[in-house]
Amino acid sequence: MPSDWDDDEGMPEMRPERPARRRGPSRGQIWRRRLVAIGSIAVVVVAVIIVLTSSGRDDDSGKTTASHPPQAKKVAHKAKKKASGKVTNATPQADWVPHRGPVPILEYHVLGHPPEGAPYPELYVGRTDFEKQMDWLEERGYEAVTLEQVQEAWYHGGKLPPKPIVLSFDDGYRPQFTFALPTLRKHGWAGVLNLKAEGSDLYESNVKAMIAAGWELAAHTIHHLDLTELGPEELEEEVAGSRKLLQKEYGVPVNNFCYPAGQFDETVVKAVEGAGYTGATTEISGFAERGKPFELDRLEILRESHVKGLAEDLKNGEGATAELGA
Ligand SMILES: [Zn+2]
């Protein structure tokens, strides 16, 4: 797997180290440098004073430029979330309410730039884009929960945030641990990891850390094959076998399943039900509904989606939900 998936977008380029000096500087050079250093410090101090006093004036008068309010709000919001650092939504909160209606489930794959020649570049969502999407969701009042929490509310009288959403991550790519986990944590949210039992990019310790942060572990078969093309034994192995494997390896319940490449038919659904799963996610676009536990629609977020596409998907889903009278 290409190693640059782990590289952070927007990070400054690494500079090669300078060769070591042969001789030390002369006294004159040292003094000149000290004077330059003192001069630069003075300039910085003056600049800071100017900035502080001018921003203070802005606050006092209540007057701000057009670009100020969102920026200021964003910084304050991020600082607040970072300070808490707790995944609050791993457990029900005081303002949660009963919920039996449809819930949007987002589907993500790799977070980062596609390496050259990547077979599905559209499945790589930029990291800045991802952060913006998470910020946008929170600003619109959405709160991420796990699919198990949704099912608890749908079928067992549990409660959900006023605007619940599920964030699902397929296959098990490294940036889901290195980037999605800390990003979601800033918002107090947990995701759902649809993990391919063998051959994913995640280490066992990565998956354990995600589970410890409240993430739900869901099965995504062992080898990521098209289930509609398998014979009964192989189907059983991929569907029931992956559940057993994950439960044994991680010591947590695995209650949900995700169809590889969204491929399923009646036989596959029967195998999933028979293996004891309580739900299964597809790649059909729409909101997930309690009446279709083994055909839970999702909204696939792609490289070109950005915040705009996410907003449109959610709006369309809400529209469809309203038409259904749900
Ligand atoms: Zn997959």
Side-chain angles (χ1 to χ4, degrees):
M1 291 296 171
S3 62
D4 57 350
W5 287 0
D6 290 343
D7 292 350
D8 216 338
E9 274 182 5
M11 287 282 281
E13 271 180 13
M14 295 286 284
R15 283 166 209 265
E17 279 183 51
R18 287 184 201 175
R21 267 173 193 280
R22 285 223 189 107
R23 274 188 312 158
S26 72
R27 271 171 174 257
Q29 282 173 322
I30 290 174
W31 269 108
R32 266 200 299 283
R33 274 191 218 143
R34 282 186 189 163
L35 283 174
V36 168
I38 291 164
S40 340
I41 290 169
V43 168
V44 169
V45 168
V46 169
V48 166
I49 289 169
I50 289 169
V51 167
L52 285 179
T53 47
S54 64
S55 64
R57 256 206 312 279
D58 270 358
D59 286 349
D60 292 345
S61 66
K63 264 191 279 176
T64 42
T65 58
S67 69
H68 267 161
Q71 273 179 356
K73 198 180 142 202
K74 208 171 175 186
V75 169
H77 152 88
K78 282 203 172 164
K80 190 190 87 190
K81 288 295 172 186
K82 264 189 188 154
S84 80
K86 239 175 65 186
V87 180
T88 47
N89 278 12
T91 53
Q93 300 296 300
D95 66 334
W96 288 20
V97 290
H99 187 114
R100 285 160 62 90
V103 171
I105 304 177
L106 305 189
E107 171 189 355
Y108 286 97
H109 288 86
V110 194
L111 303 175
H113 283 304
E116 206 162 316
Y120 303 103
E122 69 275 15
L123 295 183
Y124 291 69
V125 171
R127 296 184 188 182
T128 309
D129 249 353
F130 179 72
E131 284 181 317
K132 282 183 187 163
Q133 289 168 353
M134 296 302 109
D135 287 345
W136 183 89
L137 286 174
E138 180 159 345
E139 281 158 21
R140 292 297 180 288
Y142 283 99
E143 289 184 66
V145 292
T146 65
L147 183 50
E148 284 173 339
Q149 288 175 314
V150 170
Q151 289 159 331
E152 187 61 26
W154 276 350
Y155 309 117
H156 307 292
K159 292 177 177 178
L160 291 178
K163 279 178 88 172
I165 190 162
V166 175
L167 308 172
S168 71
F169 299 83
D170 287 12
D171 306 334
Y173 300 100
R174 283 278 290 162
Q176 295 171 350
F177 166 73
T178 58
F179 195 75
L181 175 66
T183 305
L184 263 56
R185 194 195 292 272
K186 280 182 214 159
H187 294 272
W189 297 343
V192 175
L193 176 63
N194 294 320
L195 184 64
K196 186 169 64 165
E198 272 179 25
S200 90
D201 299 338
L202 293 172
Y203 296 119
E204 203 178 307
S205 59
N206 300 157
V207 177
K208 284 182 174 166
M210 292 161 98
I211 293 169
W215 282 51
E216 173 182 346
L217 181 62
H220 194 37
T221 73
I222 301 174
H223 301 104
H224 208 274
L225 304 169
D226 180 346
L227 298 178
T228 61
E229 291 182 350
L230 302 184
E233 269 176 38
E234 228 184 332
L235 180 61
E236 162 96 12
E237 174 64 7
E238 291 290 334
V239 173
S242 59
R243 183 170 192 230
K244 281 181 204 143
L245 258 176
L246 293 182
Q247 291 187 147
K248 195 172 161 223
E249 195 155 356
Y250 297 103
V252 290
V254 173
N255 294 325
N256 287 299
F257 185 82
C258 174
Y259 303 111
Q263 298 296 316
F264 68 97
D265 57 20
E266 232 176 279
T267 312
V268 172
V269 170
K270 269 189 195 139
V272 172
E273 272 196 84
Y277 292 102
T278 48
T281 49
T282 70
E283 286 189 350
I284 299 169
S285 186
F287 280 21
E289 295 168 43
R290 71 183 290 276
K292 297 194 300 176
F294 295 100
E295 273 181 59
L296 299 171
D297 295 348
R298 293 192 290 173
L299 302 169
E300 188 175 25
I301 307 301
L302 300 171
R303 184 151 195 84
E304 296 308 319
S305 297
H306 310 295
V307 165
K308 192 166 168 265
L310 167 62
E312 277 167 11
D313 279 351
L314 287 170
K315 203 175 156 201
N316 293 339
E318 272 164 19
T321 298
E323 276 171 35
L324 283 170

